[in-house]
Amino acid sequence: MFDLYIPEGKVIYNEFDFDLSKSIEGQEKCLLEDILQISFQNNVLLDLGWYPELYSRGRFVLQVIKDYDWEKALYKIEFKELSLISENIKKATNFIRLNCK
């Protein structure tokens, strides 16, 4: 996987199976709508998925969800590069620390 330490979160779903040394192309089997989900206090989730699933021309969607309200993400960012996963998860985690107490 990648180096990521989030002491206040609990990984509840992890299908992260990318080879970070390679490009997205050739790793289509890893491009799932449900890749990673981390639970936080106050019924907050950090969710990472790929849309559209299994299609290399898609994008990652990283969201912070409260009370399972998937229609109104508190935080949402979309990106294509594998190299941005760790950085964007850290940004979302900081958002949670500052806004979801």
Side-chain angles (χ1 to χ4, degrees):
M1 197 169 150
F2 51 93
D3 184 25
L4 189 64
Y5 177 65
I6 305 172
E8 61 273 76
K10 178 183 176 188
V11 175
I12 56 174
Y13 189 83
N14 185 358
E15 289 297 318
F16 192 97
D17 195 25
F18 294 95
D19 182 340
L20 297 178
S21 68
K22 297 180 180 178
S23 70
I24 290 289
E25 288 75 22
Q27 299 192 70
E28 284 83 1
K29 67 176 180 52
C30 302
L31 301 176
L32 306 173
E33 285 186 8
D34 299 318
I35 296 172
L36 180 66
Q37 199 169 80
I38 302 172
S39 174
F40 293 83
Q41 291 182 348
N42 298 323
N43 215 19
V44 174
L45 294 174
L46 184 151
D47 183 78
L48 176 67
W50 181 270
Y51 299 87
E53 189 170 62
L54 304 173
Y55 183 61
S56 65
R57 293 192 181 168
R59 77 238 177 263
F60 288 104
V61 177
L62 178 65
Q63 303 181 85
V64 174
I65 304 295
K66 181 159 176 70
D67 297 328
Y68 300 97
D69 188 353
W70 293 93
E71 300 299 317
K72 296 179 185 173
L74 299 177
Y75 177 95
K76 184 175 181 179
I77 188 167
E78 298 181 10
F79 57 98
K80 294 182 79 95
E81 299 81 15
L82 281 167
S83 63
L84 296 177
I85 291 175
S86 182
E87 174 186 332
N88 284 324
I89 288 176
K90 287 176 185 175
K91 287 179 182 178
T93 302
N94 285 335
F95 174 88
I96 292 168
R97 286 184 189 121
L98 295 172
N99 298 286
C100 300
K101 297 178 183 179

